[in-house]
Amino acid sequence: MTLASAASLAGNGRTITFGLFVALVCVTLAITVWARTHTDGAVDFYAGGRRFSGPQNGLALAGGHMSAASFLGIAGIIALSGYDGFLYSVGFLVAWLPVLLLVELMRNTGRFTMADVLAQRVRRQSSVRIAAAASTVTVTVFSLIAQMVGAGALVALLLGVRPGASFLGMSAGTAEVVTIVVVGALMISYVTFGGMKGTTWVQIVKTALLMFGAALMTVLVLGRFGFDLGRLLGAAAGASGKGHAFLEPGLRYGRDVAGHSSRTLFNKLDLVSLALALVLGTAGLPQVVTRFYTVPDARAARTSVNWAIGLVGAFYLMTMALGFGATALVGRREILARDPSGNTAAPLLARELGRHVAGRIGGDVMPAFVAAVAFATILAVVAGLVMASATSLAHDYFGNVLMLGRPRERQEVAVARFAAVLVGAVAIVPAVFARHLNVAFLVALAFAMAASANLPAIVLSLFWRRFNAAGMVAGIYGGLAASIVLVVFSPVVSGKVDPVTGQSLSLFPKGTDFHWFPLDNPGLVSIPVGFLCAVAGTFLRRGESDPDRYTELSVRSLTGAGAH
């Protein structure tokens, strides 16, 4: 193939990809406009009128949870690290078990947010709602910044815009900035105009596209190996350059370091810490909690979680086929050459599968479709995050703190729309300036914060009679502070160097080292700290406990009596 024809093929692929991006944006904006005409009042804006069925909400739950990192990132990790990459898939799936245990209790006791559940236990609610709102905004903003930075880099990568190249007259850096701003503007539009209805339908459409794309690629991959998983794994191990070790644990996580027993121990503890954050954090993620209130009752909420578990489980099983298929059919060397992090493994696999099925046209269309699905994934995830923040700021802080629980509905919804613009702007600005930094750790930090701050408050509110407002506030702020401080002084921020290349693997460049906490993920320490702070705060102000309110909460959580 000549250089001219190769350039022509690349140009065709970029044109199709860009066209699919534009079509997708038009469809999602049309959904938002429709949702705007069917949104009237706080219940419609915050909870979609509670008219979504269990299966519909399950699709939206899965859509808000399966991010671009799940689709492209996990497939890439499996393609480069084999068995260890699959540990992420298992962690994200197992994380739904705590959600399944809590979903009906929270749906029966809350109205729109996590703070509604906590407030049932206390008479003076202001401090609790402020703490819950602060935690919600902190967790979602950290996640948003990571998603926005990833969006800029990912879209530039998928469109083939590299340093020195241009697209639509824009350099690679400009294209990343424009992408971040466009994604930010779209997520603000979805929430301010469509509310929860618009956000939910965007997530449902995204889930349908994602599952269809993953299933199609999985069938094509398995078909290349006669639907024999053993042949696929054998071919992947042979093409990985690692041999049988590619199918065994230890290439990426929990690695043994010869002559450094302490480093070996910390590597293994880091894996446990990451797993704890993933498994326990999901139940405390604000964007997951707000979804419990979009269905009519607790039974539908449980049905939606069951659907989400089924969809997420099927999807992560398919990522195994995609990751190992990319190694076997594309090759580890080519994946690393295109992107050292492995994010292009799925698009490269799509190109190979498309060419095998339909020649040149298939080689252009398949990766373009994968890129469009990845873009839809980003839009759906960030919209859910902004919706959670806007709901908490308007309902918890404005409606129940500033307006003493007696706001006008129109006022509260107007504040929610303004809050969506504010949160979006807060995420866009730092994302633009941080676009050259490695901020992937922010996603894991968000899970750790949710597990450290939100989960202790939720669990102890539902199951401990003596728990009180002081314990809630202490647990939320203590867990938040512990997770943030430990990450700031961890190797992900400073002091981590690649032993082979000598390059910095931290946020700060090589030569800057102020870390003293040895683990990349703080969950192993910050989650117990969150629970301890909650317990300590309760005992320090034990006179505030209200057993009667706990009894009322218990009856309501188990029976649904008085549920909204």
Side-chain angles (χ1 to χ4, degrees):
M1 180 183 294
T2 65
L3 289 176
S5 61
S8 175
L9 278 175
N12 290 338
R14 291 206 301 184
T15 301
I16 296 172
T17 302
F18 185 70
L20 286 176
F21 280 3
V22 172
L24 186 66
V25 169
C26 291
V27 169
T28 54
L29 287 177
I31 291 172
T32 303
V33 171
W34 170 85
R36 178 68 181 90
T37 62
H38 292 77
T39 297
D40 182 25
V43 175
D44 270 353
F45 188 85
Y46 293 142
R50 307 196 203 281
R51 296 190 186 97
F52 289 101
S53 67
Q56 287 174 333
N57 196 47
L59 283 164
L61 263 174
H65 188 72
M66 295 185 297
S67 65
S70 301
F71 182 37
L72 302 181
I74 293 180
I77 293 174
I78 293 174
L80 298 179
S81 303
Y83 176 91
D84 278 10
F86 194 54
L87 293 177
Y88 255 111
S89 299
V90 174
F92 279 124
L93 177 58
V94 174
W96 286 94
L97 295 180
V99 179
L100 193 60
L101 292 173
L102 297 174
V103 56
E104 290 189 58
L105 302 179
M106 294 188 67
R107 174 61 186 83
N108 283 336
T109 53
R111 188 180 180 208
F112 298 127
T113 65
M114 173 186 74
D116 289 334
V117 178
L118 307 183
Q120 297 291 326
R121 292 290 308 272
V122 297
R123 297 189 185 278
R124 297 180 181 178
Q125 302 178 4
S126 295
S127 60
V128 172
R129 287 192 179 272
I130 291 172
S135 175
T136 295
V137 173
T138 303
V139 171
T140 53
V141 167
F142 273 111
S143 296
L144 274 172
I145 293 172
Q147 293 289 339
M148 303 291 283
V149 171
L154 187 60
V155 172
L157 189 68
L158 295 174
L159 287 173
V161 183
R162 295 179 177 79
S166 63
F167 182 71
L168 298 178
M170 297 181 292
S171 65
T174 305
E176 284 191 30
V177 172
V178 170
T179 299
I180 290 171
V181 173
V182 168
V183 170
L186 288 171
M187 73 182 181
I188 291 171
S189 300
Y190 296 151
V191 175
T192 55
F193 294 108
M196 183 58 87
K197 282 185 180 178
T199 300
T200 299
W201 281 110
V202 168
Q203 291 176 334
I204 289 173
V205 169
K206 166 259 174 148
T207 303
L209 289 173
L210 183 62
M211 295 301 291
F212 172 76
L216 176 62
M217 290 178 63
T218 298
V219 169
L220 292 176
V221 167
L222 293 175
R224 294 283 295 271
F225 296 93
F227 293 92
D228 185 340
L229 186 60
R231 282 181 57 194
L232 168 60
L233 295 178
S240 68
K242 304 291 184 181
H244 193 67
F246 190 67
L247 307 178
E248 297 176 347
L251 285 182
R252 185 181 181 93
Y253 302 114
R255 287 181 294 186
D256 293 328
V257 181
H260 294 81
S261 57
S262 60
R263 187 66 259 169
T264 298
L265 175 63
F266 290 142
N267 285 345
K268 297 184 184 303
L269 290 177
D270 212 9
L271 176 59
V272 175
S273 188
L274 174 63
L276 275 177
L278 293 179
V279 171
L280 298 180
T282 301
L285 289 174
Q287 67 270 29
V288 172
V289 173
T290 54
R291 287 241 139 259
F292 297 159
Y293 308 114
T294 61
V295 290
D297 52 40
R299 177 176 292 182
R302 175 172 284 271
T303 299
S304 67
V305 174
N306 287 333
W307 270 78
I309 290 174
L311 290 166
V312 170
F315 172 74
Y316 285 127
L317 282 175
M318 289 188 285
T319 60
M320 180 178 70
L322 300 184
F324 286 120
T327 307
L329 298 176
V330 178
R332 190 172 188 272
R333 182 174 299 177
E334 184 173 351
I335 294 171
L336 285 171
R338 293 294 295 271
D339 180 21
S341 64
N343 284 330
T344 57
L348 289 173
L349 175 63
R351 185 188 64 182
E352 174 63 30
L353 294 172
R355 286 178 178 173
H356 181 75
V357 172
R360 173 179 168 178
I361 294 176
D364 287 340
V365 172
M366 277 287 285
F369 176 74
V370 168
V373 169
F375 189 58
T377 297
I378 293 168
L379 295 179
V381 170
V382 296
L385 291 167
V386 173
M387 188 71 224
S389 275
T391 300
S392 185
L393 286 172
H395 176 66
D396 295 328
Y397 185 67
F398 174 79
N400 284 281
V401 176
L402 296 183
M403 301 299 291
L404 304 176
R406 296 185 295 274
R408 295 179 181 176
E409 267 199 21
R410 289 183 178 276
Q411 278 184 315
E412 192 170 307
V413 172
V415 170
R417 290 193 165 105
F418 173 76
V421 176
L422 180 64
V423 170
V426 167
I428 290 171
V429 174
V432 167
F433 287 101
R435 67 186 185 278
H436 297 305
L437 302 177
N438 179 8
V439 295
F441 72 93
L442 291 179
V443 176
L445 174 59
F447 277 87
M449 288 191 295
S452 306
N454 296 349
L455 190 66
I458 292 170
V459 170
L460 295 178
S461 289
L462 292 171
F463 298 109
W464 189 23
R465 180 179 295 274
R466 297 181 63 178
F467 199 42
N468 57 30
M472 295 176 195
V473 173
I476 290 172
Y477 287 136
L480 270 181
S483 53
I484 293 173
V485 168
L486 292 177
V487 164
V488 168
F489 293 101
S490 75
V492 300
V493 173
S494 69
K496 192 173 184 179
V497 178
D498 190 314
V500 178
T501 65
Q503 294 180 336
S504 174
L505 299 176
S506 303
L507 186 63
F508 280 83
K510 184 180 178 180
T512 304
D513 185 3
F514 50 84
H515 89 278
W516 49 262
F517 184 65
L519 307 181
D520 287 356
N521 192 285
L524 190 62
V525 176
S526 62
I527 295 172
V529 167
F531 275 97
L532 286 173
C533 286
V535 172
T538 299
F539 281 120
L540 288 174
R541 300 288 292 273
R542 65 179 65 188
E544 291 185 356
S545 300
D546 191 335
D548 292 338
R549 280 185 171 263
Y550 174 73
T551 301
E552 181 182 338
L553 177 75
S554 297
V555 172
R556 182 171 170 176
S557 66
L558 293 172
T559 66
H564 296 282

